[in-house]
Structure formats: C-alpha cells, structure tokens
Amino acid sequence: HPRREDIYLRAGDGLQLHANFIPSEYGDGEHRYAVCVHGYADAADSMGIYARVYRDRLGMHVLLPDLCGHGKSDGDYVGMGYHDSLDILSWIDWILERDHDAQIILHGISMGAAAVLLTTGHRLPAQVAAAVADSSYTSAMDVMSSMYRGLGGPAATAPVMMEAVRGIALVRAGYDIAKASPLQAVARSQTPTLFI
C-alpha cells in the first residue's frame, strides 16, 4: 500500500518487533483500528486482504504485526501464540499512545487467531472492542500431539514426547508451551469474540 509505514517496538523480552501500519484515508480523525495477525510461517504482508477490507471498505487504521520469528521481527523460535499475545498487548499500547480514543478490533488467522484469543485472556483496556478468531487451535500441546501421531508416532508415547517438547521450549525459549492454550484464555476473556 502506498501509505504503509514500518513501525518498530521493543518487546518485553528485548526483541525488536515490526509491524506494517496503514493509516485510514480519514487520517487522525478516525479512531477505529484493526490489528490483523498472521498465522504460522507467514508474515504481516499475507494479511493484506484483510487490511483492504478494514481500511478501504470500513475506513479503519490497520496494524499488521510480524509475530516473533516471522517477517521483519526478531526471534529464532515460534511462540505458538503465547509470547505473541504479550507482544499484541505491546501493539495495543502503541495504538493507545498514538490515540487514546481508539476502538480496536483484534483479528487473527490460524496461529494468529490463537495469539488473539490468548490476548483476550489478559486484562485488556476498554478500547479493545472485539476479536475475530479464524481457525485457532485449542492448545499448542494438542496441536503438537496431533502432529506427532500424524507422523506415525504411537499414541501411547505422545504424552512423553509432549513433555520432552515442553522441556525443550522451557530451556530454549524460556516459557511453558502448555500455557499456549486459547481454550483456557477464552474462559477468562471478557472480549466479544467471533469464532470462525
């Protein structure tokens, strides 16, 4: 988009995060924002089709973050939505510093949908009005267990393998992958959410 801007911020874990920001055609007079979050092994650019709808049809500002380890954001691991939810909170803060009157919609697909749902499990500012979750998983542990069995791993050994994966994530990425559970986050959420 000709009006696209590169935005950078520092995450709580010190990584530099990137997002594409496309301002509304109405400029600073528009207070509605859509944060469109991509899926696994993708990048912000892939969310352009959603940005077009939110900006060109609905007149909203659009923020398209690159999740940790994707696109132009730092990171050498994929957080399966858990760390990403904390990063989305930082992007929400970025919007609110820019426009305290913002009304924000969070929209994610696949792993981005999981990140959005995990974000709604946190205490959010009142300016976050709604969320859209398209094709989220229930938990990262469930996804990995299913993948293991799909690759021919015996179902009986899946729990042992998942604990090994959990231990590796704790050592290499510094977080418990079992916390990447959109299902648990939704139970705490106060955000109106459309599930697709």
Side-chain angles (χ1 to χ4, degrees):
H1 194 280
R3 297 193 63 201
R4 183 191 67 81
E5 304 169 24
D6 289 303
I7 307 297
Y8 294 91
L9 63 78
R10 201 57 70 187
D13 57 7
L15 296 177
Q16 180 173 273
L17 301 176
H18 169 266
N20 294 320
F21 179 67
I22 307 171
S24 166
E25 63 183 303
Y26 304 114
D28 290 339
E30 176 56 55
H31 299 288
R32 295 177 307 148
Y33 293 75
V35 178
C36 300
V37 186
H38 66 82
Y40 177 77
D42 220 331
D45 294 346
S46 70
M47 297 302 287
I49 191 169
Y50 299 97
R52 181 176 293 133
V53 171
Y54 282 114
R55 185 193 180 275
D56 296 349
R57 293 190 191 167
L58 302 176
M60 300 171 74
H61 300 289
V62 181
L63 184 74
L64 308 162
D66 280 324
L67 298 178
C68 176
H70 293 78
K72 296 179 185 174
S73 287
D74 289 348
D76 58 359
Y77 63 86
V78 175
M80 296 303 291
Y82 178 73
H83 276 160
D84 305 310
S85 70
L86 303 175
D87 297 341
I88 292 171
L89 292 174
S90 295
W91 288 117
I92 291 168
D93 289 343
W94 179 86
I95 291 170
L96 295 178
E97 287 171 12
R98 181 183 191 280
D99 181 359
H100 184 72
D101 296 325
Q103 291 296 305
I104 302 167
I105 292 176
L106 306 176
H107 184 148
I109 60 169
S110 189
M111 188 179 76
V116 162
L117 293 176
L118 287 159
T119 302
T120 68
H122 295 285
R123 182 172 298 172
L124 295 177
Q127 292 93 331
V128 177
V132 178
D134 183 348
S135 306
S136 174
Y137 53 79
T138 55
S139 79
M141 294 290 279
D142 288 345
V143 167
M144 290 182 186
S145 180
S146 177
M147 288 173 60
Y148 173 72
R149 290 190 309 275
L151 293 172
T157 61
V160 173
M161 288 303 295
M162 292 311 97
E163 286 305 312
V165 168
R166 191 174 173 194
I168 292 167
L170 278 168
V171 171
R172 296 217 33 210
Y175 79 100
D176 184 353
I177 199 163
K179 292 182 179 180
S181 175
L183 196 60
Q184 291 176 3
V186 166
R188 298 186 304 271
S189 175
Q190 299 296 306
T191 307
T193 302
L194 171 63
F195 297 92
I196 301 171

